[in-house]
Amino acid sequence: MTKLGLLARIEAKPEYAEKVEGLLRDALELARQEDHTVTWFAFRQGDTTFGVFDTFEDEKGRQGHLQGRIAAALMEAAGTMLSEAPDIRPVDLLAVKLP
């Protein structure tokens, strides 16, 4: 059962919002390559606010994701395209409905 997650809030600089959206869309393929990532969602909440929510079976999978290519791309973008470092928080899942 999926028990753990990560919730990330990403704030883009206005002039880079479309590039951040593209980075997140492209990250889907990287997420598909991660065996330990059960589900992965990227979303947009406004003109410059984005987020990612993903789930994992165990802490090893969550930590592996945090050390993976998507996190590295976000941190690389932080200096140029983001107004602040991504706010990434671990979450414990209480209930899950999957297809």
Side-chain angles (χ1 to χ4, degrees):
M1 178 179 142
T2 303
K3 299 177 183 177
L4 303 174
L6 289 169
L7 181 61
R9 183 180 172 279
I10 302 160
E11 191 64 36
K13 292 178 182 176
E15 65 271 25
Y16 289 104
E18 299 312 311
K19 286 189 177 187
V20 170
E21 179 178 322
L23 181 131
L24 291 174
R25 288 182 185 275
D26 292 345
L28 175 60
E29 188 53 42
L30 296 176
R32 287 182 175 146
Q33 295 172 18
E34 295 180 347
D35 293 334
H36 51 270
T37 300
V38 177
T39 60
W40 188 88
F41 304 88
F43 55 90
R44 190 171 191 162
Q45 290 182 283
D47 291 341
T48 59
T49 304
F50 299 86
V52 174
F53 175 71
D54 32 26
T55 65
F56 312 91
E57 296 289 340
D58 55 31
E59 188 61 35
K60 182 179 176 185
R62 181 160 60 182
Q63 290 305 314
H65 179 73
L66 285 170
Q67 297 168 14
R69 293 171 61 195
I70 296 171
L74 275 177
M75 298 316 284
E76 183 178 318
T80 306
M81 295 191 280
L82 306 183
S83 62
E84 58 193 48
D87 179 12
I88 303 171
R89 297 176 187 235
V91 297
D92 294 332
L93 303 177
L94 303 177
V96 176
K97 177 188 180 283
L98 295 172

Coordinates of all heavy atoms in Angstrom, one line a residue:
M1 N 0.8 -1.2 0.0 CA 0.0 0.0 0.0 C 0.9 1.2 0.0 O 1.9 1.3 0.7 CB -0.9 0.0 1.2 CG -1.7 1.2 1.3 SD -2.8 1.1 2.8 CE -2.7 2.8 3.3
T2 N 0.5 2.2 -0.8 CA 1.2 3.5 -0.8 C 1.0 4.2 0.5 O -0.2 4.5 0.9 CB 0.6 4.3 -2.0 OG1 0.8 3.6 -3.2 CG2 1.4 5.6 -2.1
K3 N 2.1 4.5 1.2 CA 2.0 5.1 2.5 C 2.6 6.5 2.7 O 2.3 7.2 3.6 CB 2.7 4.2 3.5 CG 2.1 2.8 3.6 CD 2.9 2.0 4.6 CE 2.3 0.6 4.6 NZ 3.1 -0.3 5.4
L4 N 3.5 6.8 1.8 CA 4.3 8.1 1.9 C 4.2 8.9 0.7 O 4.0 8.5 -0.4 CB 5.8 7.7 2.2 CG 6.1 6.8 3.4 CD1 7.5 6.5 3.4 CD2 5.6 7.5 4.7
G5 N 4.4 10.2 0.9 CA 4.3 11.2 -0.2 C 5.3 12.3 0.0 O 5.9 12.5 1.0
L6 N 5.3 13.1 -1.1 CA 6.0 14.4 -1.0 C 5.1 15.4 -1.7 O 4.4 15.2 -2.7 CB 7.3 14.4 -1.8 CG 8.5 13.6 -1.2 CD1 9.6 13.4 -2.3 CD2 9.0 14.3 0.0
L7 N 5.0 16.6 -1.1 CA 4.2 17.7 -1.6 C 5.2 18.9 -1.8 O 5.8 19.3 -0.8 CB 3.1 18.1 -0.7 CG 2.2 19.2 -1.2 CD1 1.5 18.9 -2.5 CD2 1.1 19.5 -0.1
A8 N 5.4 19.3 -3.0 CA 6.3 20.4 -3.3 C 5.5 21.6 -3.8 O 4.7 21.5 -4.7 CB 7.3 20.0 -4.3
R9 N 5.9 22.8 -3.3 CA 5.3 24.1 -3.9 C 6.5 24.8 -4.6 O 7.6 24.9 -4.0 CB 4.8 24.9 -2.7 CG 4.2 26.2 -3.2 CD 3.6 27.0 -2.0 NE 3.2 28.3 -2.4 CZ 4.0 29.4 -2.6 NH1 5.3 29.2 -2.5 NH2 3.5 30.5 -3.0
I10 N 6.2 25.2 -5.8 CA 7.2 25.8 -6.6 C 6.7 27.2 -7.1 O 5.7 27.3 -7.7 CB 7.5 24.9 -7.8 CG1 8.0 23.5 -7.3 CG2 8.6 25.5 -8.8 CD1 7.9 22.4 -8.3
E11 N 7.5 28.2 -6.8 CA 7.1 29.6 -7.2 C 8.1 30.1 -8.2 O 9.3 30.3 -8.0 CB 7.1 30.5 -6.0 CG 6.5 31.8 -6.2 CD 5.0 31.8 -6.6 OE1 4.2 30.9 -6.0 OE2 4.5 32.6 -7.4
A12 N 7.6 30.3 -9.5 CA 8.4 30.7 -10.6 C 8.5 32.2 -10.6 O 7.5 32.9 -10.2 CB 7.8 30.2 -11.9
K13 N 9.6 32.8 -11.1 CA 9.6 34.2 -11.5 C 8.7 34.4 -12.6 O 8.6 33.5 -13.5 CB 11.0 34.6 -11.8 CG 12.0 34.5 -10.7 CD 13.4 34.9 -11.2 CE 14.4 34.8 -10.0 NZ 15.8 35.0 -10.5
P14 N 7.9 35.5 -12.7 CA 6.9 35.7 -13.7 C 7.5 35.4 -15.1 O 6.8 34.8 -16.0 CB 6.4 37.1 -13.5 CG 6.7 37.4 -12.1 CD 7.9 36.6 -11.7
E15 N 8.6 35.9 -15.4 CA 9.2 35.8 -16.8 C 9.6 34.4 -17.1 O 9.9 34.1 -18.3 CB 10.4 36.8 -17.0 CG 11.6 36.5 -16.1 CD 11.6 37.2 -14.7 OE1 10.5 37.5 -14.2 OE2 12.7 37.4 -14.2
Y16 N 9.6 33.5 -16.1 CA 10.0 32.1 -16.4 C 8.9 31.1 -16.2 O 9.1 29.9 -16.2 CB 11.2 31.7 -15.5 CG 12.5 32.3 -15.9 CD1 13.0 33.4 -15.1 CD2 13.2 31.9 -17.0 CE1 14.2 34.0 -15.5 CE2 14.4 32.5 -17.3 CZ 14.9 33.5 -16.6 OH 16.1 34.2 -16.9
A17 N 7.7 31.6 -15.9 CA 6.6 30.7 -15.6 C 6.3 29.6 -16.7 O 6.1 28.4 -16.4 CB 5.3 31.5 -15.4
E18 N 6.4 30.0 -17.9 CA 6.1 29.0 -19.0 C 7.3 28.0 -19.1 O 7.0 26.8 -19.4 CB 5.9 29.7 -20.3 CG 4.7 30.7 -20.3 CD 3.4 30.0 -19.8 OE1 3.1 28.9 -20.2 OE2 2.8 30.7 -18.9
K19 N 8.5 28.4 -18.8 CA 9.6 27.5 -18.8 C 9.5 26.5 -17.7 O 9.8 25.3 -17.8 CB 11.0 28.2 -18.8 CG 11.3 28.9 -20.1 CD 12.7 29.5 -20.0 CE 13.0 30.1 -21.4 NZ 14.4 30.5 -21.5
V20 N 9.1 27.0 -16.5 CA 8.9 26.1 -15.4 C 7.8 25.0 -15.7 O 7.9 23.9 -15.4 CB 8.6 26.8 -14.1 CG1 8.1 25.9 -12.9 CG2 9.8 27.7 -13.6
E21 N 6.7 25.5 -16.3 CA 5.7 24.6 -16.7 C 6.2 23.5 -17.7 O 6.0 22.3 -17.5 CB 4.5 25.3 -17.4 CG 3.4 24.4 -17.9 CD 2.3 25.1 -18.6 OE1 1.9 26.1 -18.1 OE2 1.7 24.5 -19.5
G22 N 7.0 23.9 -18.6 CA 7.7 23.0 -19.5 C 8.6 22.0 -18.8 O 8.6 20.8 -19.1
L23 N 9.3 22.5 -17.9 CA 10.2 21.6 -17.1 C 9.4 20.6 -16.4 O 9.8 19.4 -16.4 CB 11.0 22.5 -16.1 CG 12.0 21.7 -15.2 CD1 13.3 22.4 -15.2 CD2 11.5 21.6 -13.8
L24 N 8.3 20.9 -15.8 CA 7.4 20.0 -15.1 C 6.8 19.0 -16.0 O 6.7 17.8 -15.7 CB 6.4 20.7 -14.2 CG 7.0 21.4 -13.0 CD1 5.9 22.2 -12.3 CD2 7.7 20.5 -12.1
R25 N 6.3 19.5 -17.2 CA 5.7 18.5 -18.2 C 6.8 17.5 -18.6 O 6.5 16.3 -18.7 CB 5.2 19.3 -19.4 CG 3.9 20.1 -19.0 CD 3.4 20.8 -20.3 NE 2.3 21.6 -20.0 CZ 1.0 21.2 -20.0 NH1 0.8 19.9 -20.2 NH2 0.0 22.0 -19.7
D26 N 8.0 18.0 -18.9 CA 9.1 17.1 -19.3 C 9.5 16.1 -18.2 O 10.0 15.0 -18.5 CB 10.3 17.9 -19.8 CG 10.0 18.7 -21.1 OD1 9.0 18.4 -21.7 OD2 10.8 19.6 -21.3
A27 N 9.3 16.5 -17.0 CA 9.7 15.6 -15.8 C 8.9 14.4 -15.7 O 9.3 13.4 -15.1 CB 9.7 16.4 -14.5
L28 N 7.7 14.4 -16.4 CA 6.9 13.2 -16.3 C 7.6 12.0 -16.8 O 7.5 10.9 -16.2 CB 5.6 13.4 -17.2 CG 4.7 12.2 -17.3 CD1 4.2 11.7 -16.0 CD2 3.5 12.6 -18.2
E29 N 8.4 12.1 -17.9 CA 9.1 11.0 -18.4 C 10.1 10.5 -17.4 O 10.3 9.3 -17.2 CB 9.8 11.3 -19.7 CG 10.4 10.1 -20.4 CD 9.4 8.9 -20.6 OE1 8.2 9.2 -21.0 OE2 9.8 7.8 -20.4
L30 N 10.8 11.4 -16.7 CA 11.7 11.0 -15.6 C 11.0 10.2 -14.5 O 11.5 9.2 -14.0 CB 12.4 12.2 -15.1 CG 13.3 13.0 -16.1 CD1 13.9 14.2 -15.4 CD2 14.4 12.1 -16.6
A31 N 9.8 10.7 -14.1 CA 9.0 10.0 -13.1 C 8.6 8.6 -13.5 O 8.7 7.7 -12.7 CB 7.8 10.9 -12.7
R32 N 8.3 8.5 -14.8 CA 8.0 7.1 -15.3 C 9.1 6.2 -15.2 O 8.9 5.0 -15.1 CB 7.5 7.2 -16.7 CG 6.1 7.8 -16.9 CD 5.7 7.9 -18.3 NE 4.3 8.4 -18.4 CZ 3.8 9.1 -19.4 NH1 4.6 9.4 -20.4 NH2 2.6 9.5 -19.4
Q33 N 10.3 6.7 -15.2 CA 11.5 5.8 -15.2 C 11.9 5.4 -13.7 O 12.7 4.5 -13.6 CB 12.7 6.5 -15.8 CG 12.5 6.8 -17.3 CD 13.6 7.6 -17.9 OE1 14.7 7.8 -17.3 NE2 13.3 8.2 -19.1
E34 N 11.3 6.0 -12.8 CA 11.6 5.7 -11.4 C 10.7 4.6 -10.9 O 9.5 4.8 -10.7 CB 11.3 7.0 -10.5 CG 12.3 8.1 -10.8 CD 12.0 9.3 -9.9 OE1 11.0 9.4 -9.2 OE2 12.9 10.2 -9.9
D35 N 11.2 3.5 -10.6 CA 10.5 2.3 -10.2 C 9.8 2.5 -8.8 O 8.8 2.0 -8.5 CB 11.4 1.0 -10.1 CG 11.8 0.6 -11.5 OD1 11.1 0.9 -12.5 OD2 12.9 0.0 -11.6
H36 N 10.5 3.3 -8.0 CA 10.0 3.5 -6.6 C 9.0 4.6 -6.5 O 8.4 4.8 -5.4 CB 11.2 3.9 -5.7 CG 12.1 5.0 -6.2 ND1 13.1 4.7 -7.1 CD2 12.0 6.3 -6.1 CE1 13.7 5.9 -7.4 NE2 13.0 6.8 -6.8
T37 N 8.7 5.4 -7.5 CA 7.6 6.4 -7.5 C 6.3 5.7 -8.0 O 6.2 5.3 -9.1 CB 8.0 7.6 -8.4 OG1 9.2 8.1 -7.9 CG2 6.9 8.6 -8.4
V38 N 5.4 5.7 -7.1 CA 4.1 5.0 -7.4 C 3.2 5.9 -8.2 O 2.7 5.5 -9.3 CB 3.4 4.6 -6.1 CG1 2.0 4.0 -6.4 CG2 4.2 3.6 -5.3
T39 N 3.0 7.1 -7.8 CA 2.2 8.1 -8.5 C 3.0 9.4 -8.5 O 3.7 9.7 -7.6 CB 0.8 8.3 -7.9 OG1 0.9 8.8 -6.6 CG2 0.0 7.1 -8.0
W40 N 2.8 10.2 -9.6 CA 3.4 11.5 -9.7 C 2.5 12.5 -10.4 O 2.0 12.2 -11.5 CB 4.7 11.3 -10.5 CG 5.6 12.5 -10.6 CD1 6.6 12.9 -9.7 CD2 5.6 13.5 -11.6 NE1 7.2 14.0 -10.1 CE2 6.6 14.5 -11.2 CE3 4.9 13.8 -12.7 CZ2 6.9 15.6 -12.0 CZ3 5.1 14.9 -13.5 CH2 6.2 15.8 -13.1
F41 N 2.3 13.6 -9.8 CA 1.4 14.6 -10.4 C 2.1 16.0 -10.3 O 2.7 16.4 -9.3 CB 0.1 14.8 -9.5 CG -0.6 13.5 -9.3 CD1 -0.3 12.7 -8.3 CD2 -1.7 13.2 -10.2 CE1 -1.1 11.5 -8.1 CE2 -2.4 12.0 -10.0 CZ -2.1 11.2 -9.0
A42 N 2.1 16.7 -11.4 CA 2.6 18.1 -11.5 C 1.3 18.9 -11.8 O 0.5 18.6 -12.6 CB 3.6 18.3 -12.6
F43 N 1.3 20.1 -11.1 CA 0.1 20.9 -11.3 C 0.5 22.4 -11.2 O 1.5 22.8 -10.8 CB -1.0 20.6 -10.2 CG -0.5 20.7 -8.8 CD1 -0.6 21.8 -8.1 CD2 0.0 19.6 -8.2 CE1 -0.2 21.9 -6.8 CE2 0.5 19.6 -6.9 CZ 0.3 20.8 -6.2
R44 N -0.5 23.2 -11.7 CA -0.3 24.7 -11.7 C -1.5 25.2 -10.9 O -2.6 24.9 -11.1 CB -0.4 25.2 -13.1 CG 0.0 26.7 -13.2 CD 0.2 27.1 -14.7 NE 0.8 28.4 -14.7 CZ 1.4 28.9 -15.8 NH1 1.5 28.1 -16.9 NH2 1.9 30.1 -15.8
Q45 N -1.2 26.2 -10.0 CA -2.2 26.8 -9.1 C -2.5 28.2 -9.5 O -3.4 28.8 -8.9 CB -1.8 26.7 -7.6 CG -1.8 25.3 -7.1 CD -1.4 25.3 -5.6 OE1 -0.2 25.5 -5.3 NE2 -2.4 25.2 -4.8
G46 N -1.7 28.8 -10.3 CA -1.9 30.2 -10.7 C -0.9 30.6 -11.7 O -0.3 29.7 -12.3
D47 N -0.7 31.9 -11.9 CA 0.2 32.4 -12.9 C 1.6 31.9 -12.7 O 2.3 31.5 -13.7 CB 0.2 33.9 -13.0 CG -1.2 34.4 -13.5 OD1 -1.9 33.7 -14.2 OD2 -1.4 35.6 -13.3
T48 N 2.1 31.9 -11.5 CA 3.5 31.5 -11.2 C 3.7 30.4 -10.2 O 4.8 30.1 -9.8 CB 4.2 32.8 -10.7 OG1 3.6 33.3 -9.6 CG2 4.3 33.9 -11.8
T49 N 2.6 29.9 -9.7 CA 2.7 28.9 -8.6 C 2.4 27.5 -9.2 O 1.4 27.3 -9.8 CB 1.7 29.2 -7.5 OG1 1.9 30.5 -7.0 CG2 1.8 28.2 -6.4
F50 N 3.3 26.6 -8.9 CA 3.2 25.2 -9.4 C 3.4 24.3 -8.2 O 3.8 24.7 -7.1 CB 4.3 24.9 -10.4 CG 4.3 25.8 -11.6 CD1 4.8 27.1 -11.7 CD2 3.6 25.4 -12.8 CE1 4.8 27.9 -12.8 CE2 3.5 26.2 -13.9 CZ 4.1 27.4 -13.9
G51 N 3.2 23.0 -8.5 CA 3.4 22.0 -7.4 C 3.6 20.6 -8.0 O 3.3 20.4 -9.2
V52 N 4.1 19.8 -7.1 CA 4.3 18.4 -7.5 C 3.8 17.6 -6.3 O 4.2 17.9 -5.1 CB 5.8 18.0 -7.8 CG1 5.9 16.5 -8.0 CG2 6.2 18.8 -9.0
F53 N 3.1 16.5 -6.5 CA 2.7 15.6 -5.5 C 3.0 14.2 -6.0 O 2.7 13.8 -7.1 CB 1.2 15.7 -5.1 CG 0.8 14.6 -4.1 CD1 1.2 14.7 -2.8 CD2 0.0 13.5 -4.6 CE1 0.8 13.7 -1.9 CE2 -0.4 12.6 -3.6 CZ 0.0 12.7 -2.3
D54 N 3.8 13.4 -5.2 CA 4.1 12.1 -5.6 C 4.1 11.1 -4.4 O 4.1 11.6 -3.2 CB 5.5 12.0 -6.3 CG 6.5 13.0 -5.8 OD1 6.4 13.4 -4.6 OD2 7.4 13.3 -6.5
T55 N 3.9 9.8 -4.7 CA 3.8 8.9 -3.6 C 4.7 7.7 -3.8 O 5.2 7.4 -4.9 CB 2.3 8.3 -3.6 OG1 2.1 7.6 -4.8 CG2 1.3 9.4 -3.4
F56 N 5.0 7.1 -2.6 CA 6.0 6.0 -2.5 C 5.5 4.9 -1.6 O 4.8 5.2 -0.6 CB 7.3 6.6 -2.0 CG 7.7 7.8 -2.8 CD1 7.3 9.1 -2.3 CD2 8.4 7.8 -4.0 CE1 7.6 10.2 -3.0 CE2 8.7 8.9 -4.7 CZ 8.3 10.2 -4.2
E57 N 6.1 3.7 -1.8 CA 5.7 2.6 -0.9 C 6.5 2.7 0.5 O 6.0 2.2 1.5 CB 6.1 1.3 -1.6 CG 5.3 1.0 -2.8 CD 3.9 0.6 -2.5 OE1 3.5 0.3 -1.4 OE2 3.1 0.8 -3.5
D58 N 7.7 3.2 0.4 CA 8.5 3.2 1.6 C 9.5 4.4 1.6 O 9.6 5.2 0.6 CB 9.3 1.9 1.8 CG 10.1 1.6 0.6 OD1 10.6 2.5 -0.1 OD2 10.3 0.4 0.3
E59 N 10.1 4.6 2.8 CA 11.1 5.7 2.9 C 12.2 5.7 2.0 O 12.7 6.7 1.5 CB 11.5 5.8 4.4 CG 12.3 7.1 4.7 CD 11.6 8.4 4.5 OE1 10.3 8.4 4.7 OE2 12.2 9.4 4.0
K60 N 12.7 4.5 1.7 CA 13.8 4.3 0.7 C 13.4 4.9 -0.6 O 14.2 5.5 -1.3 CB 14.2 2.8 0.6 CG 15.3 2.5 -0.3 CD 15.7 1.0 -0.4 CE 16.8 0.8 -1.3 NZ 17.1 -0.6 -1.5
G61 N 12.2 4.6 -1.1 CA 11.7 5.1 -2.4 C 11.6 6.6 -2.3 O 12.0 7.3 -3.3
R62 N 11.1 7.2 -1.2 CA 11.0 8.6 -1.1 C 12.3 9.3 -1.2 O 12.5 10.3 -1.8 CB 10.2 9.0 0.1 CG 10.0 10.5 0.3 CD 8.9 10.8 1.3 NE 9.0 10.4 2.6 CZ 8.1 10.6 3.6 NH1 7.0 11.2 3.3 NH2 8.3 10.1 4.8
Q63 N 13.3 8.8 -0.4 CA 14.6 9.3 -0.4 C 15.3 9.2 -1.7 O 16.0 10.1 -2.2 CB 15.5 8.7 0.7 CG 15.0 9.1 2.1 CD 15.0 10.6 2.3 OE1 15.9 11.3 2.0 NE2 13.9 11.1 2.9
G64 N 15.1 8.1 -2.4 CA 15.7 7.9 -3.7 C 15.2 8.9 -4.7 O 15.9 9.5 -5.5
H65 N 13.9 9.3 -4.6 CA 13.3 10.3 -5.5 C 13.9 11.7 -5.2 O 14.2 12.4 -6.1 CB 11.8 10.3 -5.3 CG 11.1 11.4 -6.1 ND1 10.9 11.2 -7.5 CD2 10.6 12.6 -5.8 CE1 10.3 12.3 -7.9 NE2 10.1 13.1 -6.9
L66 N 14.1 12.0 -3.9 CA 14.6 13.3 -3.5 C 16.1 13.4 -4.0 O 16.6 14.5 -4.1 CB 14.6 13.4 -2.0 CG 13.2 13.7 -1.4 CD1 13.3 13.6 0.1 CD2 12.8 15.1 -1.8
Q67 N 16.8 12.3 -4.2 CA 18.1 12.3 -4.7 C 18.2 12.1 -6.2 O 19.3 12.0 -6.8 CB 18.9 11.3 -4.0 CG 19.0 11.6 -2.5 CD 19.6 10.4 -1.7 OE1 20.2 9.5 -2.3 NE2 19.4 10.5 -0.4
G68 N 17.0 12.1 -6.9 CA 17.0 11.7 -8.3 C 17.0 12.9 -9.2 O 17.3 14.1 -8.8
R69 N 16.8 12.6 -10.5 CA 17.0 13.6 -11.6 C 15.9 14.8 -11.5 O 16.3 15.9 -11.9 CB 16.9 12.9 -12.9 CG 18.1 12.0 -13.1 CD 18.0 11.1 -14.3 NE 17.9 11.8 -15.5 CZ 17.6 11.3 -16.7 NH1 17.2 10.0 -16.7 NH2 17.5 12.0 -17.8
I70 N 14.7 14.5 -11.1 CA 13.7 15.5 -11.1 C 14.1 16.6 -10.0 O 14.1 17.8 -10.3 CB 12.3 15.0 -10.8 CG1 11.9 14.1 -11.9 CG2 11.3 16.1 -10.6 CD1 10.6 13.3 -11.7
A71 N 14.4 16.1 -8.8 CA 14.9 17.0 -7.7 C 16.1 17.8 -8.2 O 16.2 19.0 -7.9 CB 15.1 16.3 -6.5
A72 N 17.0 17.2 -8.8 CA 18.2 17.9 -9.3 C 17.9 19.0 -10.3 O 18.4 20.1 -10.2 CB 19.2 16.9 -9.9
A73 N 16.9 18.7 -11.2 CA 16.5 19.7 -12.2 C 15.8 20.9 -11.5 O 16.1 22.0 -11.9 CB 15.6 19.1 -13.2
L74 N 15.0 20.6 -10.5 CA 14.4 21.7 -9.8 C 15.4 22.6 -9.1 O 15.3 23.8 -9.1 CB 13.4 21.1 -8.8 CG 12.0 20.8 -9.3 CD1 11.1 20.2 -8.2 CD2 11.3 22.1 -9.8
M75 N 16.3 21.9 -8.4 CA 17.3 22.7 -7.7 C 18.2 23.5 -8.6 O 18.6 24.6 -8.3 CB 18.2 21.8 -6.8 CG 17.3 21.1 -5.7 SD 16.1 22.1 -4.9 CE 17.2 23.0 -3.8
E76 N 18.5 23.0 -9.8 CA 19.3 23.7 -10.8 C 18.5 24.9 -11.3 O 19.0 26.0 -11.5 CB 19.6 22.8 -12.0 CG 20.5 23.4 -13.0 CD 20.8 22.5 -14.1 OE1 21.1 21.3 -13.9 OE2 20.8 22.9 -15.3
A77 N 17.2 24.8 -11.5 CA 16.3 25.9 -12.0 C 16.1 26.9 -10.9 O 15.8 28.1 -11.2 CB 15.0 25.3 -12.4
A78 N 16.3 26.5 -9.6 CA 15.9 27.4 -8.5 C 16.7 28.8 -8.6 O 16.1 29.8 -8.4 CB 16.2 26.8 -7.2
G79 N 18.0 28.7 -9.0 CA 18.8 29.9 -9.0 C 18.3 30.9 -10.1 O 18.5 32.1 -9.9
T80 N 17.8 30.4 -11.2 CA 17.4 31.3 -12.3 C 15.9 31.5 -12.4 O 15.5 32.6 -12.5 CB 17.9 30.7 -13.6 OG1 19.3 30.4 -13.5 CG2 17.7 31.6 -14.8
M81 N 15.2 30.4 -12.5 CA 13.8 30.5 -12.8 C 12.8 30.6 -11.7 O 11.6 31.0 -11.9 CB 13.4 29.3 -13.7 CG 14.1 29.2 -15.0 SD 13.4 28.0 -16.1 CE 14.2 26.5 -15.5
L82 N 13.2 30.3 -10.5 CA 12.3 30.3 -9.3 C 12.6 31.6 -8.5 O 13.7 32.0 -8.3 CB 12.5 29.1 -8.5 CG 12.3 27.7 -9.3 CD1 12.4 26.6 -8.3 CD2 11.0 27.7 -10.1
S83 N 11.5 32.0 -7.8 CA 11.7 33.2 -6.9 C 12.2 32.8 -5.6 O 12.6 33.6 -4.8 CB 10.3 34.0 -6.8 OG 9.3 33.1 -6.3
E84 N 12.1 31.5 -5.3 CA 12.7 31.0 -4.0 C 12.9 29.5 -4.2 O 12.4 28.9 -5.2 CB 11.7 31.2 -2.9 CG 10.3 30.6 -3.1 CD 9.2 31.1 -2.2 OE1 9.1 32.3 -2.0 OE2 8.5 30.2 -1.6
A85 N 13.6 28.9 -3.3 CA 13.8 27.4 -3.4 C 12.5 26.7 -3.3 O 11.6 27.1 -2.5 CB 14.8 27.0 -2.3
P86 N 12.4 25.6 -3.9 CA 11.1 24.8 -3.8 C 10.9 24.4 -2.3 O 11.8 24.1 -1.6 CB 11.4 23.5 -4.7 CG 12.5 23.9 -5.6 CD 13.3 24.9 -4.9
D87 N 9.6 24.5 -1.9 CA 9.2 24.0 -0.6 C 8.7 22.6 -0.7 O 7.6 22.3 -1.2 CB 8.1 25.0 -0.1 CG 7.6 24.6 1.3 OD1 8.3 23.8 2.0 OD2 6.6 25.1 1.7
I88 N 9.6 21.7 -0.3 CA 9.3 20.2 -0.4 C 9.1 19.6 1.0 O 10.0 19.7 1.8 CB 10.4 19.5 -1.2 CG1 10.7 20.1 -2.5 CG2 10.1 18.0 -1.3 CD1 11.9 19.6 -3.2
R89 N 7.9 19.1 1.2 CA 7.5 18.5 2.5 C 7.1 17.1 2.4 O 6.3 16.7 1.5 CB 6.4 19.3 3.1 CG 6.8 20.8 3.3 CD 5.6 21.6 3.8 NE 5.9 23.0 3.8 CZ 5.8 23.7 4.9 NH1 5.4 23.2 6.0 NH2 6.2 25.0 4.9
P90 N 7.6 16.3 3.3 CA 7.2 14.9 3.3 C 5.8 14.8 3.9 O 5.4 15.6 4.8 CB 8.2 14.2 4.2 CG 8.8 15.3 5.1 CD 8.7 16.6 4.2
V91 N 5.0 13.9 3.5 CA 3.6 13.7 4.0 C 3.4 12.2 4.2 O 4.0 11.4 3.5 CB 2.5 14.3 3.1 CG1 2.6 15.8 3.0 CG2 2.5 13.6 1.7
D92 N 2.6 11.9 5.2 CA 2.2 10.5 5.5 C 0.8 10.4 5.0 O -0.1 11.2 5.3 CB 2.2 10.2 7.0 CG 3.6 10.1 7.5 OD1 4.6 9.9 6.7 OD2 3.8 10.4 8.7
L93 N 0.5 9.4 4.1 CA -0.8 9.3 3.5 C -1.7 8.5 4.5 O -1.4 7.5 5.1 CB -0.7 8.5 2.2 CG 0.2 9.2 1.2 CD1 0.3 8.3 -0.1 CD2 -0.3 10.6 0.9
L94 N -2.9 9.0 4.7 CA -3.9 8.5 5.6 C -4.9 7.5 4.9 O -5.3 6.5 5.4 CB -4.7 9.6 6.3 CG -3.8 10.5 7.1 CD1 -4.7 11.6 7.7 CD2 -3.0 9.8 8.2
A95 N -5.2 7.9 3.7 CA -6.1 7.1 2.8 C -5.8 7.3 1.4 O -5.4 8.4 1.0 CB -7.6 7.5 3.1
V96 N -6.0 6.3 0.6 CA -5.6 6.4 -0.8 C -6.6 5.7 -1.7 O -7.0 4.6 -1.3 CB -4.2 5.7 -1.1 CG1 -3.9 5.7 -2.6 CG2 -3.1 6.4 -0.3
K97 N -7.0 6.3 -2.8 CA -7.9 5.7 -3.8 C -7.1 5.7 -5.1 O -6.8 6.7 -5.6 CB -9.2 6.4 -3.9 CG -10.1 5.7 -5.0 CD -11.3 6.6 -5.3 CE -12.2 6.0 -6.3 NZ -11.7 6.2 -7.7
L98 N -6.8 4.5 -5.6 CA -6.1 4.4 -6.9 C -7.0 3.6 -7.8 O -7.7 2.7 -7.4 CB -4.7 3.8 -6.7 CG -3.7 4.6 -5.9 CD1 -2.5 3.7 -5.6 CD2 -3.3 5.8 -6.6
P99 N -6.8 3.8 -9.1 CA -7.6 2.9 -10.1 C -7.2 1.4 -10.0 O -6.2 1.1 -9.6 CB -7.2 3.5 -11.5 CG -6.2 4.5 -11.3 CD -6.0 4.7 -9.8

